[in-house]
C-alpha cells in the first residue's frame, strides 16, 4: 500500500474548511494541492494560510485539476449532493461534510456515483473516528455495561440569526435536525443500529426550519432519547446505559476526550483519549488509508452506514414536515 502522499482539494472556504485544513497540516502524507472559493481573494488568503499549491475562483476548476485526488466538500448542506456527484463524475474521491444530503434519494445518488466511478466516498462523520468513540464502541461490544437499553444524547446551543446565518437559512438547509441533530442520531445508530420506530416533535421558526427537535428511537429492548436545538443550551454529556452499568461521555460528547464508567452507580474508572488536533485528523487518516488500499468506502463509516443515517433523518424530516 505504501505511504505516498495523498493530494487534497477543498471547496467552500468557510468555518469548517479552516478547521479541517489546520488538521490536514498535521498529517505527514497529506498535501493540500488546491482550494476553491467563489471569491478568489478568499481562496488566495486561505491558500496562503494553509500552504495550498493552487487557488481557484470556481469549484469546477478544482474538479478539473488533474493532480487533486480527493475533494473535501465544505459548503452548506443544500449543495453537498450536486457537488459530490460532480466531483465523483470527474473521477475524484470525495469526503463530503455532514449531513451528506437533504434527502435520502440524494444520498442514494451520491453512493451510486461513488460505485459507478469506482471512487471513494464518505460522509465526513468525524466523530466516528475519534479515539474516545473508537475505544468506547470496542468496550461496549465486549459487554462492559451489559446490554445497552438506554441512550441520552443531545447537541444544543444558543444560535443567533445574525451570527449563525447559515443555520437559520431555509435555502441552505438550515435548522437543528440537519446541522446538529444528526450527531445524537449517529450515536444511537452506531451503538444500537437501525431503530424499529421513531417519534419526533419539533418547534419551528417562522420560516419553517426547526429550531429544536426531540426524538425517541425505539428498539426491541432499548430506547434513545435525543435532542437538538439552535435556541437553547445543554451540558452536552451523553449517557449510554446498559444492564450492568453506564458510560458517561465527557462534554461535549461528540468530541469527547474520554469517558467515565459506572458500575452499580459507583464510578469504576475514567478513560482519557485526546484527539489529534481538532479531531478532524482521524477522518483524514481514514480517507487516506482507504484510498491507498483502493477502497471506495470506509469499513467504519460505510456507504450503508451513511445511507442508514440519512434514512433515519428522512423519516424525522417527514414526520415533522421540514421544508426540504
Ligand atoms: N464536521 C463538523 O464539525 C462541522 C462543523 C461545522 C459545519 N459542518 C458542516 O460543514 C458545512 C459548512 O458549514 P460551515 O459552518 O463551514 O459554513 P460556512 O462557514 O458558512 O462556510 C460554507 C462555505 O460554503 C461556501 N458556499 C457555497 N455556496 C454557498 C452559499 N449559497 N451560501 C453560503 N456559502 C456558500 C462558501 O465558501 P466560498 O465563499 O469560499 O465559496 C462558504 O464559506 C455544513 O454542511 C455543516 O453541516 C461540519
Amino acid at each position: 500500500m505504501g505511504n505516498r502522499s495523498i493530494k487534497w482539494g477543498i471547496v467552500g472556504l468557510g468555518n469548517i474548511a479552516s478547521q479541517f485544513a489546520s488538521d490536514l497540516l498535521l498529517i505527514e502524507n497529506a498535501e493540500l494541492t488546491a482550494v476553491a472559493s467563489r471569491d478568489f481573494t478568499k481562496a488566495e488568503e486561505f491558500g496562503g494560510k494553509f500552504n495550498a499549491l493552487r487557488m481557484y475562483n470556481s469549484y469546477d476548476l478544482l474538479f478539473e485539476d488533474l493532480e487533486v485526488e480527493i475533494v473535501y466538500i465544505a459548503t452548506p448542506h443544500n449543495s453537498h449532493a450536486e457537488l459530490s456527484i460532480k466531483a465523483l463524475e470527474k473521477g475524484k474521491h470525495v469526503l463530503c461534510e455532514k449531513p451528506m444530503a437533504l434527502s435520502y434519494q440524494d444520498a442514494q445518488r451520491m453512493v451510486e456515483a461513488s460505485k459507478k466511478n469506482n471512487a471513494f466516498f464518505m460522509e465526513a462523520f468525524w466523530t466516528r473516528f475519534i479515539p474516545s468513540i473508537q475505544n468506547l464502541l470496542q468496550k461496549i461490544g465486549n459487554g462492559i455495561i451489559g446490554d445497552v437499553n438506554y441512550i441520552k444524547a443531545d447537541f444544543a446551543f444558543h444560535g443567533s440569526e445574525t451570527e449563525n446565518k447559515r443555520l437559520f437559512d431555509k435555502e441552505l438547509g438550515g435548522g437543528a435536525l440537519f446541522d446538529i441533530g444528526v450527531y445524537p442520531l449517529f450515536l444511537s445508530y452506531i451503538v444500537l443500529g437501525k431503530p424499529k420506530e421513531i417519534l419526533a416533535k419539533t418547534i419551528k421558526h417562522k420560516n419553517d426550519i426547526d429550531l429544536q427537535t426531540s426524538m425517541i428511537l425505539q428498539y426491541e429492548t432499548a430506547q434513545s432519547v435525543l435532542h437538538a436545538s439552535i435556541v437553547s443550551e445543554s451540558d452536552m454529556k451523553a449517557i449510554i446505559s446498559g444492564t450492568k452499568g453506564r458510560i458517561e461521555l465527557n462534554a461535549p460528547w461528540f468530541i469527547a476526550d474520554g469517558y467515565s464508567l459506572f458500575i452499580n452507580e459507583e464510578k469504576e474508572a475514567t478513560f482519557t483519549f485526546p484527539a489529534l488536533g481538532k479531531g478532524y485528523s482521524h477522518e483524514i487518516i481514514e480517507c487516506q488509508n482507504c484510498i491507498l488500499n483502493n477502497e471506495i468506502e470506509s469499513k467504519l463509516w460505510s456507504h450503508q452506514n451513511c445511507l442508514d443515517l440519512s434514512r433515519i433523518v428522512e423519516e424525522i424530516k417527514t414526520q415533522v414536515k421540514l421544508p426540504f
Side-chain angles (χ1 to χ4, degrees):
M1 126 181 164
N3 199 30
R4 68 173 179 84
S5 287
I6 299 292
K7 297 182 166 52
W8 288 78
I10 303 180
V11 303
L13 308 180
N15 164 43
I16 191 62
S18 290
Q19 300 189 48
F20 181 90
S22 76
D23 270 8
L24 200 66
L25 290 175
L26 303 176
I27 311 296
E28 214 178 298
N29 59 336
E31 275 178 32
L32 185 54
T33 299
V35 295
S37 170
R38 297 162 305 165
D39 169 353
F40 190 61
T41 315
K42 202 168 151 192
E44 275 187 318
E45 243 169 64
F46 189 102
K49 184 169 173 196
F50 297 108
N51 306 329
L53 293 179
R54 286 186 285 286
M55 296 80 157
Y56 296 113
N57 66 350
S58 114
Y59 302 162
D60 284 341
L61 286 175
L62 186 142
F63 298 154
E64 296 289 344
D65 186 320
L66 294 178
E67 239 191 309
V68 170
E69 291 175 86
I70 175 162
V71 181
Y72 169 55
I73 312 255
T75 58
H77 324 334
N78 64 322
S79 53
H80 289 174
E82 294 320 316
L83 291 175
S84 293
I85 291 168
K86 218 178 213 185
L88 289 162
E89 295 286 348
K90 292 283 173 195
K92 304 298 183 203
H93 304 299
V94 169
L95 173 67
C96 174
E97 257 313 331
K98 42 59 53 181
M100 67 189 279
L102 288 173
S103 75
Y104 179 63
Q105 206 186 4
D106 277 351
Q108 283 177 310
R109 291 199 300 123
M110 295 159 89
V111 165
E112 276 160 24
S114 162
K115 293 197 162 89
K116 185 180 133 211
N117 295 288
N118 195 29
F120 173 82
F121 172 83
M122 190 174 87
E123 179 185 35
F125 236 108
W126 60 300
T127 302
R128 176 67 184 90
F129 306 98
I130 62 173
S132 58
I133 294 286
Q134 298 256 44
N135 181 274
L136 169 121
L137 290 174
Q138 207 173 31
K139 288 223 175 66
I140 291 175
N142 291 339
I144 198 161
I145 54 168
D147 296 329
V148 174
N149 46 21
Y150 172 63
I151 293 178
K152 180 189 81 86
D154 55 21
F155 193 149
F157 62 89
H158 273 119
S160 123
E161 285 202 51
T162 43
E163 279 166 41
N164 312 98
K165 282 206 179 88
R166 182 181 60 73
L167 282 185
F168 291 84
D169 190 326
K170 182 170 151 183
E171 292 311 308
L172 302 182
L177 174 66
F178 278 93
D179 212 85
I180 51 180
V182 291
Y183 283 94
L185 289 169
F186 155 83
L187 187 67
S188 182
Y189 169 71
I190 208 69
V191 174
L192 291 166
K194 289 195 275 184
K196 277 178 60 191
E197 217 180 314
I198 300 173
L199 193 64
K201 287 283 179 192
T202 197
I203 292 173
K204 287 188 182 174
H205 189 270
K206 55 183 181 300
N207 71 3
D208 226 20
I209 63 153
D210 65 316
L211 295 171
Q212 62 183 68
T213 295
S214 294
M215 303 155 279
I216 297 175
L217 270 52
Q218 175 84 14
Y219 297 84
E220 201 65 57
T221 57
Q223 291 173 325
S224 297
V225 180
L226 314 172
H227 178 73
S229 172
I230 53 173
V231 289
S232 59
E233 44 183 68
S234 75
D235 62 9
M236 294 206 267
K237 281 183 184 166
I239 294 174
I240 304 172
S241 194
T243 48
K244 288 188 195 160
R246 77 177 193 276
I247 280 169
E248 277 187 21
L249 275 155
N250 299 350
W253 68 264
F254 42 87
I255 180 54
D257 58 1
Y259 59 88
S260 302
L261 171 70
F262 294 79
I263 302 288
N264 293 327
E265 290 172 23
E266 295 288 330
K267 192 184 269 193
E268 183 98 347
T270 55
F271 300 94
T272 306
F273 297 97
L276 174 63
K278 296 177 192 298
Y280 304 104
S281 49
H282 304 284
E283 69 178 354
I284 295 171
I285 293 168
E286 176 71 4
C287 291
Q288 300 220 146
N289 286 340
C290 289
I291 292 169
L292 290 169
N293 284 317
N294 297 316
E295 283 158 3
I296 65 162
E297 61 182 316
S298 160
K299 289 187 179 66
L300 298 181
W301 194 241
S302 67
H303 286 172
Q304 193 57 49
N305 293 149
C306 298
L307 288 174
D308 286 347
L309 186 63
S310 174
R311 186 98 195 222
I312 291 169
V313 176
E314 178 85 7
E315 161 70 25
I316 296 164
K317 176 183 95 173
T318 309
Q319 271 190 33
V320 302
K321 300 188 175 61
L322 290 181
F324 313 121

